Amino acid sequence: MQDAIVTVLGGGGFIGRYLVQELFNAGARVRIAQRDPKAAFFLRLGRIGRIQFLAADVRNRASVERAVAGSDAVVNLVGVLGGDFRGIHVDGARNVAEAAKAAGVRALVHLSAIGAAPESPSRYGRSKGEGEAAVRAAFPEATILRPSIVFGREDSFTNRFARMLKYPLVPVVRGETRFQPVFVADLAQAIARAVADPQAHGGMTCDIAGPEPMTMDALLRRLAEWTGRSPHFLSLPDSVVAAMARFGGWAPGAPITWDQWLMLQRDNVPAPGSTGLEAFGITPTPLAAVAPGWLVQYRKQGRFGVVRAVES
């Protein structure tokens, strides 16, 4: 990896900031390509001469070709939870894979998601599955990583729910749905190792998850314990949430969209027998080992707040 040029599309995002650090630690030079490269300028601190920023939109083939030209490896982290699923997850993924192949890139890592499948009932899962197929057709040796929910200090997962816990009543949607959250640093390390050794990891599709499956209800109760909050949890009937999602999910700021509702009908855990972090020699980090460290900010008195037992 020493002095290898690695282009990271979407590198200024949550996962990207951890991946860039891993790549620098391995001696690589990094090219960040995204629609607004200025949003990633925070990554350049102390890395003058080893980092470059380019404007690129995965839906624009010419911009992708410019971004990957001269690269030794390419990582596609670009994804959305709403909006142009096909343009970004399918056509965009195809553009990246085809451009990487044409440029003679030796390694391509594509970030997908657990549950990706062309037959998925949700537009998100369906587009992710079709995107995987497009990548595999254009660049058969690509490494496809399919993480569960990703957590870390800057995430929109644990932080979002921890903020909700300040209210006395917290609604719970599909509390029995299971997740297997993965630590962002573990995922970043897996991506970097796939980039560094395409002979070992090329052509693989891996479900990347943490060490412990948990239900949404259990997750909320743990967050309450770690933040010293004791709200009352109210499980919402499926019929009520489905109606909210069906008739109000289109509105800006809606609590849940119809597509998100469809995704919650299935557990977000690895498929039986699937390959995971062990393929990269990584031991998954438990949520409990790291999350309490940043969740102290949500206690009433910050890190000096008293932890109290959670009510049912």
Side-chain angles (χ1 to χ4, degrees), residues 158-219:
T158 62
N159 289 290
R160 175 189 177 189
F161 289 120
R163 283 192 293 269
M164 291 171 56
L165 296 173
K166 67 181 181 180
Y167 300 107
L169 183 64
V170 176
V172 181
V173 174
R174 295 289 295 176
E176 70 278 15
T177 299
R178 295 188 306 151
F179 303 86
Q180 200 159 329
V182 60
F183 186 35
V184 63
D186 293 343
L187 173 59
Q189 193 173 53
I191 297 171
R193 292 184 182 183
V195 166
D197 194 353
Q199 284 193 325
H201 306 299
M204 297 174 60
T205 298
C206 305
D207 283 2
I208 305 299
E212 180 186 11
M214 63 185 71
T215 64
M216 176 59 74
D217 184 75
L219 169 67

